[in-house]
Amino acid sequence: MNRIRYIVLASAAAALGLAFFAARDDEDWRPAAPVYGVKLPVGHEDWPLIAPAQEAAPLDELRVVVGNPVAVRAYRDNVRPFPDGTVLVKRAWKHVPSPDFAPASIPGDATTVQVMVKDSKRYAATGGWGYGRFIDGQPVDEAQHRTCHACHAGRVKGRDYVFTRLAP
């Protein structure tokens, strides 16, 4: 009888442990950006490259834009407007000269991670896009999020509000 109790208790403990780790992989535990409720996508660090970029002064950053499979497919098939489910993530670092080769540069400290999520119903008022901006995994203040769409609408509305072009 003790052996049966042990097996039952061990099975229950294992199930609880798996449930805990499954919950940790869920995006719900990540903080949401104000205004749009966008979260940092799980695993975005491993997404395919859409394009690199360099931001001049005053930011002086190295940036890369990566995309989820929906985004990559839309770029490669030239589908515009982007379909719902498209997620673009811009990762940025301070631009630092290489200590090994003077003409080259390397990423320094991380600065921001910016996210665009396409959901034409949820974000109908902003061309179908929701925005998030994060520093050290935490969303920045609401005022900074309120400027996202205005900048995109003022400059790239005709390209479905997206600045980034696919790198050849």
Side-chain angles (χ1 to χ4, degrees):
M1 190 66 160
N2 284 338
R3 184 173 180 199
I4 292 173
R5 275 192 202 139
Y6 174 77
I7 292 171
V8 169
L9 287 173
S11 297
L16 285 172
L18 289 174
F20 171 78
F21 287 112
R24 294 293 297 168
D25 285 340
D26 186 5
E27 290 186 42
D28 289 344
W29 65 270
R30 292 182 175 220
V35 183
Y36 301 98
V38 169
K39 297 178 181 185
L40 281 172
V42 172
H44 72 273
E45 302 88 349
D46 298 320
W47 287 1
L49 175 73
I50 300 296
Q54 181 173 340
E55 182 75 27
L59 295 177
D60 200 23
E61 293 179 333
L62 296 175
R63 298 175 169 191
V64 297
V65 175
V66 298
N68 72 347
V70 177
V72 171
R73 193 170 24 261
Y75 270 109
R76 289 191 178 146
D77 294 345
N78 200 28
V79 173
R80 304 295 183 280
F82 286 90
D84 283 358
T86 297
V87 182
L88 300 170
V89 176
K90 182 191 302 177
R91 301 175 64 204
W93 301 266
K94 285 312 264 177
H95 178 231
V96 176
S98 171
D100 304 314
F101 184 61
S105 58
I106 59 171
D109 293 335
T111 57
T112 64
V113 177
Q114 299 172 36
V115 181
M116 289 179 68
V117 175
K118 184 71 178 263
D119 184 329
S120 58
K121 291 180 182 153
R122 184 173 180 193
Y123 305 118
T126 52
W129 291 98
Y131 304 86
R133 186 168 180 213
F134 302 84
I135 296 175
D136 293 328
Q138 298 301 311
V140 297
D141 65 58
E142 183 175 330
Q144 290 186 36
H145 281 91
R146 294 211 178 274
T147 64
C148 294
H149 182 67
C151 183
H152 286 249
R155 292 175 172 84
V156 289
K157 182 177 181 180
R159 292 206 328 262
D160 195 22
Y161 304 94
V162 176
F163 284 96
T164 305
R165 298 174 191 222
L166 182 64

